[in-house]
Short mmCIF file of all heavy atoms in Angstrom, two decimals:
data_model
loop_
_atom_site.label_atom_id
_atom_site.label_comp_id
_atom_site.label_asym_id
_atom_site.label_seq_id
_atom_site.Cartn_x
_atom_site.Cartn_y
_atom_site.Cartn_z
N LEU Z 1284 -6.17 44.26 8.04
CA LEU Z 1284 -4.97 44.97 8.48
C LEU Z 1284 -4.27 44.18 9.58
O LEU Z 1284 -4.92 43.45 10.33
CB LEU Z 1284 -5.34 46.36 9.02
CG LEU Z 1284 -5.94 47.37 8.06
CD1 LEU Z 1284 -6.06 48.73 8.74
CD2 LEU Z 1284 -5.13 47.50 6.79
N PRO Z 1285 -2.96 44.35 9.71
CA PRO Z 1285 -2.26 43.70 10.82
C PRO Z 1285 -2.84 44.16 12.15
O PRO Z 1285 -3.24 45.31 12.29
CB PRO Z 1285 -0.81 44.18 10.67
CG PRO Z 1285 -0.69 44.62 9.26
CD PRO Z 1285 -2.05 45.12 8.86
N GLY Z 1286 -2.88 43.25 13.11
CA GLY Z 1286 -3.36 43.61 14.44
C GLY Z 1286 -2.33 44.45 15.18
O GLY Z 1286 -1.15 44.41 14.88
N TYR Z 1287 -2.82 45.20 16.15
CA TYR Z 1287 -1.92 46.01 16.96
C TYR Z 1287 -1.82 45.41 18.36
O TYR Z 1287 -2.60 44.53 18.73
CB TYR Z 1287 -2.40 47.47 17.03
CG TYR Z 1287 -3.83 47.62 17.46
CD1 TYR Z 1287 -4.20 47.55 18.80
CD2 TYR Z 1287 -4.84 47.80 16.52
CE1 TYR Z 1287 -5.53 47.67 19.19
CE2 TYR Z 1287 -6.16 47.93 16.90
CZ TYR Z 1287 -6.49 47.86 18.24
OH TYR Z 1287 -7.80 47.97 18.63
N GLY Z 1288 -0.83 45.89 19.11
CA GLY Z 1288 -0.70 45.48 20.51
C GLY Z 1288 -0.01 44.15 20.71
O GLY Z 1288 -0.08 43.56 21.79
N TYR Z 1289 0.67 43.65 19.68
CA TYR Z 1289 1.36 42.37 19.82
C TYR Z 1289 2.78 42.62 20.28
O TYR Z 1289 3.59 43.18 19.57
CB TYR Z 1289 1.34 41.61 18.49
CG TYR Z 1289 2.07 40.30 18.54
CD1 TYR Z 1289 1.72 39.32 19.47
CD2 TYR Z 1289 3.14 40.04 17.69
CE1 TYR Z 1289 2.40 38.13 19.53
CE2 TYR Z 1289 3.81 38.85 17.74
CZ TYR Z 1289 3.44 37.90 18.67
OH TYR Z 1289 4.12 36.71 18.72
N SER Z 1290 3.10 42.20 21.50
CA SER Z 1290 4.36 42.61 22.12
C SER Z 1290 5.59 41.89 21.60
O SER Z 1290 6.70 42.36 21.77
CB SER Z 1290 4.26 42.42 23.64
OG SER Z 1290 3.96 41.07 23.92
N LYS Z 1291 5.42 40.74 20.94
CA LYS Z 1291 6.61 40.01 20.48
C LYS Z 1291 7.20 40.60 19.19
O LYS Z 1291 8.27 40.21 18.77
CB LYS Z 1291 6.30 38.53 20.29
CG LYS Z 1291 6.20 37.80 21.62
CD LYS Z 1291 6.22 36.31 21.44
CE LYS Z 1291 6.08 35.63 22.79
NZ LYS Z 1291 5.75 34.24 22.69
N MET Z 1292 6.48 41.52 18.58
CA MET Z 1292 7.03 42.20 17.42
C MET Z 1292 8.04 43.22 17.93
O MET Z 1292 7.79 43.89 18.93
CB MET Z 1292 5.88 42.95 16.70
CG MET Z 1292 5.88 42.80 15.21
SD MET Z 1292 4.68 43.93 14.45
CE MET Z 1292 3.29 42.88 14.24
N SER Z 1293 9.17 43.33 17.27
CA SER Z 1293 10.17 44.32 17.71
C SER Z 1293 9.59 45.73 17.56
O SER Z 1293 8.66 45.95 16.80
CB SER Z 1293 11.45 44.18 16.88
OG SER Z 1293 11.24 44.71 15.58
N LYS Z 1294 10.19 46.67 18.29
CA LYS Z 1294 9.74 48.06 18.21
C LYS Z 1294 9.82 48.56 16.76
O LYS Z 1294 8.94 49.25 16.28
CB LYS Z 1294 10.60 48.96 19.11
CG LYS Z 1294 10.26 48.85 20.57
CD LYS Z 1294 9.09 49.76 20.92
CE LYS Z 1294 8.76 49.70 22.39
NZ LYS Z 1294 7.43 49.21 22.66
N LYS Z 1295 10.90 48.17 16.07
CA LYS Z 1295 11.09 48.61 14.70
C LYS Z 1295 9.97 48.04 13.81
O LYS Z 1295 9.40 48.76 12.98
CB LYS Z 1295 12.47 48.18 14.18
CG LYS Z 1295 12.79 48.75 12.82
CD LYS Z 1295 14.20 48.45 12.38
CE LYS Z 1295 14.40 49.10 11.03
NZ LYS Z 1295 15.62 48.77 10.39
N GLU Z 1296 9.66 46.75 14.00
CA GLU Z 1296 8.58 46.13 13.22
C GLU Z 1296 7.25 46.82 13.51
O GLU Z 1296 6.47 47.09 12.60
CB GLU Z 1296 8.45 44.64 13.56
CG GLU Z 1296 9.48 43.74 12.92
CD GLU Z 1296 9.33 42.30 13.38
OE1 GLU Z 1296 9.28 42.05 14.60
OE2 GLU Z 1296 9.24 41.43 12.51
N GLN Z 1297 6.99 47.09 14.81
CA GLN Z 1297 5.74 47.77 15.19
C GLN Z 1297 5.65 49.14 14.51
O GLN Z 1297 4.59 49.51 14.02
CB GLN Z 1297 5.66 47.92 16.71
CG GLN Z 1297 5.35 46.63 17.44
CD GLN Z 1297 5.35 46.81 18.95
OE1 GLN Z 1297 5.16 47.91 19.46
NE2 GLN Z 1297 5.57 45.72 19.66
N GLU Z 1298 6.75 49.86 14.47
CA GLU Z 1298 6.76 51.18 13.82
C GLU Z 1298 6.49 51.06 12.32
O GLU Z 1298 5.71 51.83 11.76
CB GLU Z 1298 8.11 51.87 14.04
CG GLU Z 1298 8.24 52.53 15.39
CD GLU Z 1298 9.63 53.11 15.61
OE1 GLU Z 1298 10.32 53.45 14.62
OE2 GLU Z 1298 10.02 53.21 16.79
N GLN Z 1299 7.15 50.08 11.68
CA GLN Z 1299 6.95 49.89 10.24
C GLN Z 1299 5.49 49.54 9.94
O GLN Z 1299 4.89 50.12 9.04
CB GLN Z 1299 7.86 48.76 9.71
CG GLN Z 1299 9.30 49.17 9.60
CD GLN Z 1299 10.19 47.99 9.22
OE1 GLN Z 1299 9.97 46.85 9.63
NE2 GLN Z 1299 11.22 48.28 8.45
N VAL Z 1300 4.94 48.60 10.71
CA VAL Z 1300 3.55 48.18 10.51
C VAL Z 1300 2.63 49.38 10.76
O VAL Z 1300 1.72 49.66 9.98
CB VAL Z 1300 3.19 46.98 11.42
CG1 VAL Z 1300 1.69 46.74 11.47
CG2 VAL Z 1300 3.90 45.72 10.93
N GLY Z 1301 2.89 50.13 11.83
CA GLY Z 1301 2.08 51.31 12.15
C GLY Z 1301 2.10 52.33 11.02
O GLY Z 1301 1.06 52.90 10.67
N LYS Z 1302 3.27 52.52 10.41
CA LYS Z 1302 3.39 53.50 9.33
C LYS Z 1302 2.58 53.09 8.10
O LYS Z 1302 1.90 53.91 7.50
CB LYS Z 1302 4.86 53.70 8.95
CG LYS Z 1302 5.57 54.66 9.86
CD LYS Z 1302 6.98 54.94 9.41
CE LYS Z 1302 7.68 55.85 10.40
NZ LYS Z 1302 9.05 55.50 10.66
N PHE Z 1303 2.68 51.80 7.72
CA PHE Z 1303 1.95 51.47 6.51
C PHE Z 1303 0.45 51.34 6.74
O PHE Z 1303 -0.35 51.59 5.84
CB PHE Z 1303 2.56 50.30 5.70
CG PHE Z 1303 2.50 48.92 6.26
CD1 PHE Z 1303 1.30 48.21 6.30
CD2 PHE Z 1303 3.65 48.29 6.69
CE1 PHE Z 1303 1.26 46.92 6.77
CE2 PHE Z 1303 3.62 47.00 7.18
CZ PHE Z 1303 2.43 46.31 7.22
N ILE Z 1304 0.04 51.05 7.97
CA ILE Z 1304 -1.40 51.08 8.30
C ILE Z 1304 -1.90 52.53 8.21
O ILE Z 1304 -2.93 52.81 7.61
CB ILE Z 1304 -1.69 50.49 9.70
CG1 ILE Z 1304 -1.47 48.98 9.68
CG2 ILE Z 1304 -3.10 50.82 10.16
CD1 ILE Z 1304 -1.58 48.33 11.05
N GLU Z 1305 -1.15 53.44 8.83
CA GLU Z 1305 -1.53 54.86 8.82
C GLU Z 1305 -1.60 55.40 7.39
O GLU Z 1305 -2.56 56.06 7.00
CB GLU Z 1305 -0.51 55.66 9.64
CG GLU Z 1305 -0.87 57.10 9.80
CD GLU Z 1305 0.10 57.82 10.73
OE1 GLU Z 1305 0.66 57.18 11.65
OE2 GLU Z 1305 0.31 59.03 10.51
N GLU Z 1306 -0.58 55.07 6.60
CA GLU Z 1306 -0.53 55.51 5.21
C GLU Z 1306 -1.76 55.01 4.45
O GLU Z 1306 -2.42 55.74 3.72
CB GLU Z 1306 0.76 54.99 4.55
CG GLU Z 1306 1.17 55.73 3.31
CD GLU Z 1306 0.35 55.40 2.09
OE1 GLU Z 1306 -0.16 54.27 1.98
OE2 GLU Z 1306 0.17 56.29 1.24
N TYR Z 1307 -2.10 53.73 4.68
CA TYR Z 1307 -3.26 53.13 4.01
C TYR Z 1307 -4.56 53.82 4.44
O TYR Z 1307 -5.35 54.26 3.62
CB TYR Z 1307 -3.32 51.62 4.31
CG TYR Z 1307 -4.61 50.99 3.84
CD1 TYR Z 1307 -4.80 50.67 2.50
CD2 TYR Z 1307 -5.65 50.76 4.72
CE1 TYR Z 1307 -5.99 50.13 2.06
CE2 TYR Z 1307 -6.84 50.23 4.29
CZ TYR Z 1307 -7.01 49.91 2.96
OH TYR Z 1307 -8.20 49.39 2.53
N LEU Z 1308 -4.78 53.92 5.76
CA LEU Z 1308 -6.06 54.45 6.26
C LEU Z 1308 -6.28 55.91 5.87
O LEU Z 1308 -7.41 56.32 5.61
CB LEU Z 1308 -6.13 54.31 7.78
CG LEU Z 1308 -6.42 52.91 8.33
CD1 LEU Z 1308 -6.38 52.91 9.85
CD2 LEU Z 1308 -7.76 52.38 7.83
#
Side-chain angles (χ1 to χ4, degrees):
L1284 296 187
Y1287 53 80
Y1289 178 57
S1290 58
K1291 285 194 181 165
M1292 224 190 263
S1293 74
K1294 283 276 182 242
K1295 188 174 181 188
E1296 283 177 308
Q1297 286 177 23
E1298 280 175 26
Q1299 285 174 325
V1300 167
K1302 278 185 184 140
F1303 69 73
I1304 289 173
E1305 185 175 329
E1306 200 284 331
Y1307 170 79
L1308 284 176

